[in-house]
Amino acid sequence: MDWMHEDRHRHTNGNGRLASKNYLPLGASAALLSAALVVPTAADAFSKPNVAISTGEFNPANFRPVCPASDGVYRFAQTTTQNLVGSDNFVEYGPLIAGGLLRIRLELCVVESFFNEAVGPFIEREGVKWILPLHETVETFLAGTIFALASTFILVGSTKIVSVLVTYADLFLGAPCRWFGGFAFDRARGKPVTLDIGFGPFKTRVVGPGDAKENKKDETLAEILDFKSVESKFIPVVIVTGVVKATGETSKFARDVFEAIDLFVGRYLTLLASGYIGIKFIHFKVFPDFPPF
C-alpha cells in the first residue's frame, strides 16, 4: 500500500487536495478521440487505389498518349537534322536538338491525342446529339462545355506550330517545286522565257516578247492540260515537270489553308466557344422547357 500512498502524495498539494493538472473535460477528450479516428480514415480513403478520380485514365501518372503521326514527324526531323549537321555535331549538340524536337512532337501530340483518344471515342459512343440538343440536360451541357473549353485551350496553343511546320515545308519543298517545275513545264510546252524587273508602273521586261505592263491572264486548267501544240517527244518531260509544279502548287494551297485555320483559331475560336457555352447555359437554366415538344 506504500506505493499507493506515494502516488497520492505526488498528486496532492500541501493541504491534501488533489493537485490541479491540465486534464481535458470528458466531452473534449471524446471529440479529440473521434477526430483522431476519423481523420486517418479520410486520408486513407483519398489514398486508396480504388478511388475513381485517381485511377485509370483519370490518373495523370497513367496518361500515356499514343501519337503515331507526331512520332513520325519527330523521327523525320531527327533524321533530317542528323544528315544536315553531321553525326559528330548531332552528338555534341544532342541535348539541345532533342529538347527542341521533342517539344515540337509534344505540341503535335497534344492535338493528335485529343482528337484520336478523347473526341473520337466519345463521339463514337455518344454521337453528336449533345452539341445542340432540343432539350439540354446536365450531361449534354457538361459535355458541350468541356469540349468547347478543352478545344479552345488545345487548339489555340497547337495550331500555331502546325502552321509553322507547314510554312517551312512549303519554303524548302513547295517553293522550289513551283519555281523549277513551273519553269521547266513552261519551256517543255514551248512558252518563251520572260524576265521582268521593277514593280507596278515601273516594271520593264528585259527578256522575252511582250510588254510587262500588259495584264497577264492566268491559265485555266483546260489550257494547262492542252498538249496539242507539244511535240510527242516532249510529252514525258511535260508530264514529269507538270507533276513537280503541281506538287509545289499543292504545298502552297496547304500552307494557305493552315494559315487560315491558325488565323481563325487565334482570333475567333475563343469568342465562338464562349458564345456556344452561353447559348447552352441559357437553354439549360433559363429556357429548359423550350421547345415545348
Side-chain angles (χ1 to χ4, degrees):
M1 299 296 291
D2 293 339
W3 62 271
M4 295 180 62
H5 176 74
E6 292 176 0
D7 184 69
R8 180 178 180 82
H9 180 73
R10 284 197 305 267
H11 293 284
T12 57
N13 54 18
N15 297 328
R17 296 182 178 180
L18 289 175
S20 175
K21 297 178 70 67
N22 294 328
Y23 291 110
L24 291 174
L26 181 60
S29 300
L32 287 178
L33 179 60
S34 300
L37 294 175
V38 171
V39 171
T41 303
D44 293 340
F46 281 103
S47 62
K48 287 182 178 180
N50 60 354
V51 178
I53 199 66
S54 301
T55 58
E57 60 184 5
F58 294 103
N59 189 352
N62 297 333
F63 181 63
R64 297 292 186 272
V66 179
C67 311
S70 303
D71 292 339
V73 172
Y74 170 73
R75 293 303 179 190
F76 175 78
Q78 186 182 43
T79 304
T80 304
T81 305
Q82 184 176 4
N83 293 333
L84 289 175
V85 303
S87 300
D88 296 337
N89 292 329
F90 187 81
V91 173
E92 182 178 357
Y93 297 98
L96 178 61
I97 296 173
L101 296 180
L102 283 174
R103 278 156 182 80
I104 294 175
R105 184 258 181 197
L106 178 62
E107 291 290 341
L108 298 175
C109 185
V110 169
V111 181
E112 182 182 1
S113 174
F114 176 64
F115 284 99
N116 290 345
E117 300 182 24
V119 178
F122 182 79
I123 292 179
E124 183 179 356
R125 185 176 64 253
E126 301 292 340
V128 295
K129 60 180 181 296
W130 49 272
I131 297 179
L132 284 175
L134 288 177
H135 295 282
E136 289 283 355
T137 63
V138 175
E139 292 80 8
T140 59
F141 174 73
L142 289 177
T145 301
I146 293 174
F147 174 76
L149 291 175
S151 300
T152 302
F153 278 101
I154 291 173
L155 293 178
V156 167
S158 300
T159 52
K160 178 62 69 177
I161 194 169
V162 175
S163 177
V164 170
L165 289 176
V166 173
T167 300
Y168 276 115
D170 180 66
L171 177 63
F172 292 111
L173 178 63
C177 288
R178 287 194 300 274
W179 296 336
F180 296 108
F183 180 84
F185 182 68
D186 291 340
R187 302 297 80 74
R189 292 191 301 155
K191 296 183 64 175
V193 179
T194 58
L195 177 63
D196 302 333
I197 60 174
F199 58 91
F202 306 103
K203 184 180 293 186
T204 304
R205 178 157 296 175
V206 295
V207 177
D211 188 1
K213 299 177 182 178
E214 295 179 355
N215 293 329
K216 186 178 179 181
K217 296 173 61 176
D218 294 333
E219 290 183 305
T220 63
L221 182 60
E223 293 174 345
I224 294 175
L225 299 178
D226 184 12
F227 299 155
K228 294 180 181 179
S229 59
V230 180
E231 297 183 19
S232 58
K233 63 180 179 181
F234 292 123
I235 293 295
V237 179
V238 172
I239 294 175
V240 173
T241 56
V243 171
V244 175
K245 181 180 179 180
T247 302
E249 295 295 339
T250 303
S251 175
K252 180 182 179 181
F253 176 76
R255 186 198 67 190
D256 294 338
V257 169
F258 280 99
E259 286 180 351
I261 293 175
D262 179 56
L263 180 63
F264 168 79
V265 169
R267 286 188 178 183
Y268 307 112
L269 183 61
T270 303
L271 296 177
L272 289 177
S274 302
Y276 171 74
I277 295 173
I279 291 174
K280 289 185 73 69
F281 179 79
I282 293 174
H283 192 190
F284 176 59
K285 299 298 291 185
V286 181
F287 303 105
D289 297 328
F290 181 82
F293 53 83

